[in-house]
Amino acid sequence: MPTKHIGKQTVKIQNPLSIISTASIVGPKEGEGPLSLYYDVVIEDEMWGEKSWEKAESKLMRETVSKIINKSGKTIEDINYILAGDLLNQCIATNFAVRESGISLYGLYGACSTMSESIGLGAMIIDGGFADNAVCVTSSHFCSAEKQFRYPLELGSQRPPTAQWTVTGSGGVMLSNQGIGPYITYVTTGKIVDFGIKDSNNMGAAMAPAAADTIVTHFKDTGLSPEDYDLIITGDLGSFGRDLCEEIVNKQGYDIKDKYTDCGVLVYNKEKQDTHSGGSGCGCSAVTLAGFIYQEMKKGKFNNVLFVGTGALLSSTSAQQGESIPGIAHGLTLQNKFG
Amino acid sequence: MQKLYTNKEYLDHVEKEAPKSKVARNIVRAFFVGGFICIIGQFLNNILAQQGIGKDAASNITVLIMVFLGAFFTGINIYDDIGRFAGAGSIVPITGFANSIVSPAMEFKSEGYVTGVGARMFFIAGPVLVYGISASVVAGILHYLITLSR
């Protein structure tokens, strides 16, 4: 009988467990976006002095990890685990980023939900007494993602209005059992929800039911309600996916309208930056969490946040074979007060 | 949750609610940009034809120049902007064909000249070539059979 598992999919963290530091590094386009002041570093060009986009993405994550550790005041020896992942095949951005770190690694793939997946697992590892400190980090890169999943950058084609723009950036957090908050208090692990959307230019619609499922399950498992939160934020549904998610949650009797938004909506200025439905990618929720959400929680603007990373678990092979897009969403409760 | 929609209901709902492409605007843009590219081609063709090199040579040289221009504007990162604006208007002319070969060649340069550029440069244009050439072979055979029976 698990003592920390409550309801169907949720774990209640029993001991105080804080995010003690965060870092985010983003590309030039994100640096021109509405959240630019929250990022630690804005790189000047997408190659960042490397020879390929994949190497540039790896460097983004490597530098982010080193910033997270520096800002936490811990040393490398204090870190028990890195939990990390990215969008590239076999998670190469991650593997090369942490190659020289000498820290135990769990490489994760949850597509764009990897930020909340890694924090959820990190929280359970620390709460279980298996570690004191863990770094949770993800990255994505517009150019390397387009190359792997879509068409060459220089191909002259149009994007439909539901398409999203992969965030170039890496963000992450250090979790620790010593700290003064924001605390991770609940982890609601998502399950795959697939309503048969096949259009990889409409990921928001593919992931919205998964996000809604996790949000509703979270409320049912914990007994909490939308009133207990002052921000409910999904990872990268974009503006269309956000509307769908809100509608599905609403149909199940939970009104989240006033406090609900999406990282993909916040990260770009849709009209000025020609990003259509909004941002996407692992980096989208990661840099928004490490920047905007964490800093605003520290300032006290938000005290109770439900952060729901969303992932579209397709590959270019599955898409070519006509498979639909499985969606997943992992929820985390972040609170300034523990218990 | 699962009972809230069937797959079909959800797909229909998404189809209905999804923001739509601005079709009328895109058609007008495609018409004018595509037409403009064709005017350049026709202009070159007329000038070359006046040089007394023959009709076939003139059109071959026109194609060469247009393919070069498509590749050149891809190389200097401008063709994708034209494409974003014009859609089919810049895909359909032969400059678009050049773009579809040069853009992956640029993209996969980081994987080397053999396994990257060489292997991947036709991954968009490849199907057009395969089926275009196949269709021309079929048309050729039909043409042969028809003229034989006359």
Side-chain angles (χ1 to χ4, degrees):
Chain A
M1 183 68 192
T3 52
K4 302 181 184 189
H5 202 97
I6 58 169
K8 189 163 177 274
Q9 290 166 228
T10 304
V11 163
K12 186 176 197 300
I13 302 295
Q14 307 286 334
N15 305 297
L17 191 165
S18 292
I19 296 177
I20 58 168
S21 69
T22 67
S24 58
I25 303 179
V26 298
K29 191 179 180 89
E30 293 68 27
E32 288 165 10
L35 303 180
S36 60
L37 293 175
Y38 294 99
Y39 305 128
D40 292 289
V41 178
V42 178
I43 61 174
E44 279 174 17
D45 75 291
E46 270 137 353
M47 277 289 194
W48 209 12
E50 295 291 320
K51 286 194 174 131
S52 71
W53 295 321
E54 291 78 8
K55 286 181 203 286
E57 183 177 342
S58 234
K59 184 176 175 185
L60 281 173
M61 189 189 280
R62 188 163 58 244
E63 297 298 322
T64 302
V65 169
S66 105
K67 276 204 176 300
I68 294 168
I69 297 174
N70 283 343
K71 284 163 92 177
S72 71
K74 304 273 182 197
T75 64
I76 293 259
E77 285 70 36
D78 299 326
I79 320 295
N80 304 110
Y81 293 102
I82 291 185
L83 297 105
D86 59 272
L87 290 177
L88 301 181
N89 289 338
Q90 286 75 44
C91 288
I92 50 171
T94 300
N95 299 338
F96 292 103
V98 301
R99 179 167 58 178
E100 273 94 33
S101 71
I103 305 171
S104 302
L105 166 73
Y106 279 120
L108 306 173
Y109 187 80
C112 315
S113 71
T114 308
M115 188 73 258
S116 56
E117 181 184 11
S118 63
I119 296 177
L121 282 170
M124 286 193 252
I125 288 174
I126 294 175
D127 197 44
F130 302 104
D132 291 326
N133 306 296
V135 170
C136 307
V137 62
T138 71
S139 69
S140 58
H141 192 298
F142 174 74
C143 306
S144 62
E146 287 292 306
K147 180 175 168 183
Q148 180 175 309
F149 289 100
R150 295 188 188 91
Y151 291 116
L153 291 189
E154 297 303 329
L155 186 73
S157 59
Q158 284 177 332
R159 307 157 75 86
T162 49
Q164 289 172 252
W165 193 278
T166 306
V167 166
T168 299
S170 175
V173 305
M174 168 95 78
L175 298 181
S176 175
N177 52 13
Q178 300 154 337
I180 51 160
Y183 301 97
I184 314 287
T185 50
Y186 292 98
V187 176
T188 302
T189 306
K191 58 178 181 281
I192 288 181
V193 179
D194 186 342
F195 272 93
I197 298 273
K198 290 183 176 176
D199 180 4
S200 62
N201 275 316
N202 197 355
M203 307 269 235
M207 298 186 288
D213 183 76
T214 298
I215 293 170
V216 170
T217 306
H218 174 82
F219 290 143
K220 285 182 180 161
D221 284 354
T222 58
L224 296 171
S225 70
E227 286 68 50
D228 294 308
Y229 287 101
D230 34 34
L231 177 69
I232 297 171
I233 187 162
T234 46
D236 61 344
L237 298 182
S239 50
F240 178 51
R242 176 195 59 187
D243 296 348
L244 286 169
C245 176
E246 185 184 311
E247 186 187 314
I248 301 170
V249 172
N250 195 30
K251 277 197 171 174
Q252 293 172 91
Y254 295 95
D255 181 12
I256 56 173
K257 196 171 193 272
D258 303 333
K259 46 198 68 164
Y260 172 54
T261 188
D262 180 80
C263 300
V265 174
L266 298 179
V267 75
Y268 295 119
N269 183 326
K270 189 179 160 182
E271 310 305 327
K272 283 191 191 150
Q273 296 189 287
D274 192 32
T275 48
H276 300 273
S277 197
S280 69
C282 299
C284 182
S285 59
V287 300
T288 309
L289 175 71
F292 171 71
I293 299 172
Y294 177 75
Q295 287 170 34
E296 291 300 335
M297 284 193 82
K298 276 286 183 194
K299 286 182 208 159
K301 182 178 170 196
F302 305 123
N303 290 309
N304 302 291
V305 175
L306 179 58
F307 174 75
V308 184
T310 44
L313 302 172
L314 79 167
S315 83
S316 36
T317 306
S318 73
Q320 281 169 1
Q321 293 182 356
E323 268 289 4
S324 55
I325 303 172
I328 197 159
H330 301 298
L332 300 168
T333 301
L334 310 169
Q335 292 183 299
N336 272 338
K337 271 194 192 138
F338 185 81
Chain B
M1 171 68 212
Q2 304 287 6
K3 292 179 199 105
L4 214 59
Y5 296 98
T6 64
N7 281 16
K8 176 145 194 338
E9 281 165 2
Y10 185 67
L11 291 172
D12 290 345
H13 181 65
V14 167
E15 177 80 13
K16 195 168 133 250
E17 298 295 323
K20 303 286 181 292
S21 294
K22 292 171 180 155
V23 177
R25 189 195 72 179
N26 290 348
I27 289 173
V28 172
R29 284 177 173 184
F31 179 81
F32 282 103
V33 175
F36 182 68
I37 294 173
C38 294
I39 289 171
I40 297 172
Q42 191 60 49
F43 177 71
L44 286 170
N45 201 14
N46 288 0
I47 294 207
L48 289 163
Q50 284 168 10
Q51 311 301 312
I53 52 172
K55 214 177 151 192
D56 284 352
S59 68
N60 282 344
I61 295 172
T62 306
V63 167
L64 272 176
I65 296 173
M66 295 309 284
V67 166
F68 169 77
L69 288 177
F72 180 72
F73 283 108
T74 305
I76 58 172
N77 302 353
I78 288 179
Y79 207 87
D80 59 321
D81 296 327
I82 301 173
R84 196 172 305 132
F85 178 81
S90 57
I91 293 172
V92 176
I94 199 159
T95 48
F97 192 68
N99 171 249
S100 75
I101 295 172
V102 174
S103 58
M106 291 165 69
E107 186 108 347
F108 290 98
K109 189 165 166 274
S110 52
E111 281 75 41
Y113 284 100
V114 176
T115 52
V117 175
R120 306 297 288 272
M121 73 191 289
F122 289 101
F123 98 94
I124 295 164
V128 181
L129 292 172
V130 169
Y131 296 112
I133 292 168
S134 304
S136 72
V137 169
V138 171
I141 292 170
L142 287 175
H143 181 261
Y144 175 73
L145 291 175
I146 290 165
T147 46
L148 205 67
S149 65
R150 270 184 196 162

